[in-house]
Amino acid sequence: MSQVLPKLRYARSHEWARVEDDGTVTVGISDHAQEALGDVVFVELPDVGADLGAGDDAGVVESVKAASDIYAPVSGKVIAVNSELEDTPETVNSDPYHDGWFFRLQPQDAAEVESLLLDAETYQQHCEEDA
């Protein structure tokens, strides 16, 4: 069974969001998503400075099985990307919640994190329904 971390929020499209101490939001894909994709071989990240709306395409993750879009879970400006994934995309498989993060946003509205995203328990139920 996939690991779901209780302190994160989740999108139905399988991105996770972690609110940092400075109010920024770090984004990656869930353990469930990386397991479904299989071995990740390439990650396309958004440009730093890009303005994204909630649900906008923010990049692509490719595996040996498929390519999948990455969506912005909340609206905001991209302030950082995990450039390490360019050389080691497999980090998404081995550590999706820490070293495998994708990008960081300065959210337009911090309340979106609570209103648009699922808590861990609800996300776990969503994954079980998808199976």
Side-chain angles (χ1 to χ4, degrees):
M1 179 166 288
S2 303
Q3 182 182 30
V4 176
L5 299 185
K7 294 184 179 185
L8 302 178
R9 303 291 289 192
Y10 298 87
R12 291 190 181 280
S13 53
H14 303 290
E15 291 82 15
W16 57 260
R18 179 178 58 234
V19 178
E20 305 296 345
D21 291 340
D22 63 1
T24 62
V25 176
T26 301
V27 177
I29 62 169
S30 70
D31 192 37
H32 176 84
Q34 72 79 20
E35 283 181 357
L37 282 168
D39 295 336
V40 174
V41 296
F42 177 76
V43 177
E44 178 184 313
L45 300 169
D47 293 328
V48 172
D51 286 313
L52 300 173
D56 285 356
D57 288 346
V60 176
V61 60
E62 293 182 16
S63 72
V64 294
K65 293 175 15 180
S68 184
D69 290 330
I70 303 163
Y71 301 101
V74 296
S75 302
K77 181 182 288 286
V78 177
I79 59 168
V81 296
N82 187 354
S83 57
E84 296 294 319
L85 296 181
E86 294 172 5
D87 294 328
T88 56
E90 64 275 8
T91 304
V92 174
N93 295 118
S94 62
D95 194 9
Y97 294 122
H98 299 100
D99 291 341
W101 66 278
F102 284 31
F103 58 94
R104 190 166 288 134
L105 293 170
Q106 179 64 56
Q108 288 178 348
D109 180 0
E112 274 189 349
V113 174
E114 296 295 321
S115 67
L116 295 180
L117 301 178
L118 308 173
D119 63 23
E121 184 178 334
T122 306
Y123 177 69
Q124 184 70 47
Q125 291 170 353
H126 170 69
C127 291
E128 290 168 5
E129 291 167 4
D130 263 3

